Amino acid sequence: MPFLLAMDLSIGSQVPFRMNPQLPLDPIQLAVPLKVDEGSVESFDPVARASDLAGTLPRRWCGTYKPFDGNPTVDVTLNLTSLTPMGQMVDLRGTMDLGTTTAPVQGNLHAKSDQLDLIPLGNALIPGLEPGGIFLGLQGFSPTAWQAPRLVNMANPSTGVGGRLALDSSCEQSVPVQPLW
């Protein structure tokens, strides 16, 4: 007897079970535990890595910003004052020195994929960088690319056509050593 889905069944009534011959359900096979190879299970814990990164990530990053429109390269220093793990993400807060301009910055670093978002929060940035834009990095802090807050006009380079930010955690400048001979 076919049942309609909207049909009410009385409490305690039984519905006959008919096994589909194309899908045999053997209770013996269902009781056997599934064996999993060691290499096929992901043992990476991004939440633990985010906590580890918050404690071990360098607080000072140095590098350069090279605009794609031919403007001169600008020296950049990123000082991170606060790193807070939030699940799989690390919340970054600090300041970014773009040449002679200093702007507060905030961002996120994804602990599993190493994707980075850095947002300069200042109103006055260097030429080619507008408030509301974002630095996007797919491999951590270097290299990252500038994404403008709006569409840019390629015919007018003054609108800023983007650029490349390359940062490194070793900011110490080596003292030049001159040989005696």
Side-chain angles (χ1 to χ4, degrees):
M1 169 168 126
F3 290 103
L4 297 175
L5 293 176
M7 189 170 133
D8 290 331
L9 294 175
S10 61
I11 296 176
S13 64
Q14 294 184 357
V15 177
F17 175 73
R18 294 196 178 107
M19 185 174 218
N20 188 348
Q22 288 134 359
L23 300 173
L25 296 174
D26 186 11
I28 302 290
Q29 286 181 331
L30 293 176
V32 175
L34 178 66
K35 288 187 179 182
V36 178
D37 296 332
E38 289 181 23
S40 64
V41 174
E42 184 176 334
S43 61
F44 179 73
D45 186 6
V47 176
R49 182 166 186 253
S51 296
D52 182 53
L53 283 173
T56 61
L57 201 63
R59 304 286 194 222
R60 185 171 166 88
W61 294 80
C62 299
T64 58
Y65 173 71
K66 181 167 177 58
F68 294 141
D69 60 4
N71 282 333
T73 302
V74 178
D75 290 329
V76 176
T77 304
L78 174 66
N79 294 308
L80 300 174
T81 56
S82 170
L83 288 103
T84 308
M86 296 181 170
Q88 296 183 11
M89 306 292 282
V90 179
D91 180 50
L92 310 169
R93 305 286 169 118
T95 59
M96 181 181 277
D97 297 329
L98 299 158
T100 58
T101 304
T102 300
V105 68
Q106 79 177 54
N108 296 314
L109 177 65
H110 195 278
K112 186 172 182 178
S113 65
D114 283 338
Q115 291 181 355
L116 174 72
D117 302 332
L118 278 178
I119 306 169
L121 301 175
N123 288 331
L125 299 173
I126 61 174
L129 301 182
E130 297 179 53
I134 186 170
F135 286 107
L136 296 174
L138 299 177
Q139 299 172 349
F141 285 88
S142 186
T144 60
W146 175 254
Q147 181 179 357
R150 60 185 173 83
L151 294 176
V152 295
N153 183 358
M154 299 299 283
N156 183 4
S158 66
T159 61
V161 292
R164 181 179 185 263
L165 176 68
L167 295 173
D168 190 12
S169 63
S170 61
C171 293
E172 295 83 26
Q173 301 227 349
S174 62
V175 177
V177 177
Q178 294 182 349
L180 295 175
W181 54 91

